[in-house]
Amino acid sequence: MTGSPSVLFDRLGPRGRHRTRIITAVVGAALLALAAFIGVRLQQSGQLEARHWSPLFNPFDPQFATVWRFLLGGLGNTASAGAVSIVLGLVIGTAIALLRVTALPCYRWCIVGVTEFFRTVPVVISIFFASRALPVIGVDLPLLWYLVIGLTIYNSVAISEIVRAGIHAVPRGQTEAALALGLSRGGALRSIVLPQAFRIMLPSLIAQLVIVVKDTALGFIIGFEELRRRGEIAVQTLGNPLQMYLLIGAIFFVVNGLLSWLARATEARVRGAGRAARRSSAPRRAGSRV
Amino acid sequence: MSVIIDNLPLFGEGMLRTLSICLWGGLGALVLGSLLAVCSVTPVPILNRIGTGWVATMRNVPLAVVLFFFAFGLPEIGVRGSYFWFGTSALAVYTAAFVCEALRSGINAVPIGQAEAARALGVGFGTTLSQILLPQAFRAAVPPLANTTIAMIKDSALVGAIGVGGDLFSVADTLAATRGLDVIPVLAGVVIGYLLIIAPTSALFSLAVRKAVLR
């Protein structure tokens, strides 16, 4: 940021740079003091003792393998709940978006109303009620599926908005050209508009996956053993909630950080591919004899 | 229907509890988020890094983990408090990152020419900020702030679930799980409760958007 002008600050001069150095020193000192304070607090309350950290971080600890196998199992559960939810959400979300795009105006209000309704329901509530209401009407499922259903309800609505934005981002001329070539409305949507829309919305979909993975942590409401719940169970024997939740947070940070990075990389690629396509299509159009 | 009517006082109390969680959490998030936004737009790299680090952490770590870290991790180092305060402060710390992003995106939405024109006219830094940049930035920040607020209202259900109790989610839990009442009417009551909080909030924000655009 230093040196590059923003809307608020011009490029810094010598005085500005001097001030920046002073602020950096002061803030750095304050952060060090804070770290030292936390360190002393940890020391005083006995949280730095090896027995709190070693089962999580020391590979030679006898409990290390068991704890990590347990936690990675939880991460696996988190991943499968997230994966199933995003796939189901994608299918249902696309269906909702298509219904909304193609429906007659009188039905469209109905779809908008339903999606707006489900947007206001907290995800925790939908998971909780999926696990309570479905057995009442005679649907008994493994816990994973209650979590998946609860997550899918919210995510299909969120994804339908992404899909709708993606469909609107495809230039109108594409549909018009497809119709002019004799494709039906459905055919144009299926083989011309949707493939392009999916490419445009891929980054947003991966970003939505991050949200889904975060929301799987709500599985504790129904006792599903995702990563965070497994951590909570392990704490009951290890007695180190502080260290455990730090570790769980770090695992989520790494996994979701990788997904976010993937989303950004895809976005750059999609944008780059779009530019390349435009570049290469220009000369082709000029010399086209077809 | 009778389930809702019979337990109307309980639903009402739940709504009030949810509102108070949201009020304290939102207030904390606004203060903290504004500070973080200031940090991330100053030209000082170390402050930028605090802002981006905070945002990256809260974007990638579930609120549930933050909540449990606050409620069960912090007491280990001698931080004492009620679940209500642990819950609302975790909610504030989490939401602050999204408030920061909303404000920052508002500032980034102001064309750089606005600041350059102000500087060229000899307007001072303080006046540029308060008369030219911030009014435009706030306008651009209102829609993402609305989304953040509504997301926070829904997240407050989670704060209730970790043992704060008394909010709309806990009401649902009590009625459906402990007292074994019919699930569907309880669900309807709770969802109506959330709708009654979210709909006016979102109406208020769209009013703000219209005002901000028209002015």
Side-chain angles (χ1 to χ4, degrees):
Chain A
M1 274 295 257
T2 9
S4 64
S6 70
V7 72
L8 295 178
F9 297 97
D10 211 345
R11 199 178 292 280
L12 290 179
R15 248 178 37 200
R17 280 203 298 273
H18 182 62
R19 214 176 295 148
T20 301
R21 272 197 295 274
I22 293 174
I23 296 174
T24 306
V26 170
V27 174
L31 284 180
L32 279 179
L34 184 69
F37 175 72
I38 293 173
V40 169
R41 264 324 251 281
L42 284 172
Q43 179 71 46
Q44 279 172 352
S45 50
Q47 291 299 314
L48 290 180
E49 286 166 27
R51 68 190 166 89
H52 287 303
W53 299 87
S54 126
L56 303 181
F57 297 104
N58 178 9
F60 301 108
D61 192 277
Q63 288 174 301
F64 181 83
T66 330
V67 168
W68 273 90
R69 207 171 304 128
F70 190 61
L71 289 182
L72 288 180
L75 185 62
N77 288 345
T78 289
S80 47
V84 178
S85 305
I86 199 84
V87 171
L88 275 181
L90 191 58
V91 172
I92 300 174
T94 309
I96 296 175
L98 288 183
L99 271 177
R100 186 165 170 182
V101 171
T102 54
L104 296 170
C106 48
Y107 297 123
R108 197 173 294 156
W109 284 112
C110 176
I111 297 165
V112 172
V114 170
T115 52
E116 287 300 315
F117 173 78
F118 280 116
R119 269 153 82 103
T120 58
V121 181
V123 187
V124 199
I125 302 271
S126 47
I127 295 169
F128 177 73
F129 278 100
S131 78
R132 294 268 160 210
L134 290 178
V136 171
I137 56 167
V139 186
D140 264 315
L141 295 167
L143 280 181
L144 169 75
W145 283 97
Y146 295 132
L147 177 61
V148 164
I149 290 169
L151 289 176
T152 305
I153 289 175
Y154 175 72
N155 277 296
S156 46
V157 172
I159 290 175
S160 83
E161 290 297 302
I162 297 176
V163 175
R164 207 164 61 89
I167 290 175
H168 282 303
V170 176
R172 256 189 120 70
Q174 297 283 333
T175 319
E176 287 163 5
L179 293 179
L181 287 171
L183 265 73
S184 65
R185 276 218 163 263
L189 200 60
R190 200 166 48 242
S191 47
I192 307 289
V193 176
L194 274 186
Q196 299 186 59
F198 273 111
R199 216 186 59 190
I200 295 171
M201 69 204 196
L202 197 57
S204 317
L205 281 178
I206 300 176
Q208 186 66 27
L209 185 56
V210 173
I211 295 174
V212 176
V213 170
K214 281 171 72 177
D215 282 349
T216 56
L218 303 176
F220 76 91
I221 293 292
I222 56 171
F224 178 69
E225 290 190 10
E226 37 70 42
L227 177 60
R228 199 212 52 76
R229 174 83 185 124
R230 282 262 168 115
E232 194 184 354
I233 296 170
V235 162
Q236 287 166 6
T237 29
L238 297 175
N240 55 353
L242 193 75
Q243 293 77 3
M244 181 59 87
Y245 288 121
L246 277 179
L247 176 67
I248 302 277
I251 296 176
F252 269 111
F253 186 85
V254 170
V255 170
N256 283 332
L258 283 175
L259 283 175
S260 307
W261 171 81
L262 190 67
R264 277 194 302 276
T266 321
E267 187 165 16
R269 232 191 123 107
V270 167
R271 210 179 277 157
R275 255 202 305 277
R278 272 196 295 284
R279 251 203 317 276
S280 66
S281 72
R284 201 163 50 222
R285 206 179 300 141
S288 158
R289 255 167 268 135
V290 186
Chain B
M1 214 38 212
S2 67
V3 172
I4 300 181
I5 293 167
D6 291 347
N7 296 297
L8 211 53
L10 203 56
F11 280 114
E13 276 166 34
M15 266 181 71
L16 282 182
R17 188 73 164 173
T18 293
L19 270 176
S20 81
I21 292 173
C22 292
L23 215 61
W24 288 111
L27 207 63
L30 193 64
V31 172
L32 208 56
S34 311
L35 276 176
L36 283 174
V38 170
C39 279
S40 51
V41 297
T42 54
V44 184
I46 191 168
L47 291 176
N48 294 164
R49 242 167 260 149
I50 293 176
T52 47
W54 195 301
V55 170
T57 309
M58 295 309 160
R59 269 213 173 145
N60 292 327
V61 177
L63 173 60
V65 174
V66 182
L67 271 172
F68 276 78
F69 178 79
F70 269 66
F72 302 106
L74 290 186
E76 297 284 315
I77 55 167
V79 183
R80 299 263 169 261
S82 64
Y83 278 138
F84 182 83
W85 287 111
F86 279 133
T88 42
S89 36
L91 187 64
V93 160
Y94 180 80
T95 311
F98 299 94
V99 172
C100 164
E101 279 299 270
L103 295 177
R104 208 170 61 96
S105 75
I107 289 170
N108 286 340
V110 180
I112 200 161
Q114 297 280 332
E116 286 168 355
R119 263 179 234 135
L121 290 169
V123 182
F125 177 72
T127 319
T128 310
L129 201 61
S130 63
Q131 301 294 314
I132 297 168
L133 299 182
L134 287 187
Q136 299 186 58
F138 274 123
R139 269 173 235 185
V142 170
L145 271 181
N147 288 336
T148 306
T149 311
I150 289 166
M152 188 195 68
I153 294 172
K154 299 198 304 183
D155 284 339
S156 75
L158 195 53
V159 176
I162 63 151
V164 171
D167 79 319
L168 273 173
F169 174 80
S170 313
V171 169
D173 196 29
T174 320
L175 292 181
T178 319
R179 296 202 202 156
L181 292 174
D182 256 355
V183 174
I184 309 289
V186 174
L187 170 66
V190 169
V191 170
I192 292 171
Y194 278 106
L195 266 177
L196 284 179
I197 298 175
I198 290 176
T201 312
S202 114
L204 216 63
F205 270 110
S206 43
L207 196 74
V209 171
R210 220 169 304 143
K211 269 259 159 71
V213 172
L214 278 181
R215 224 181 341 149

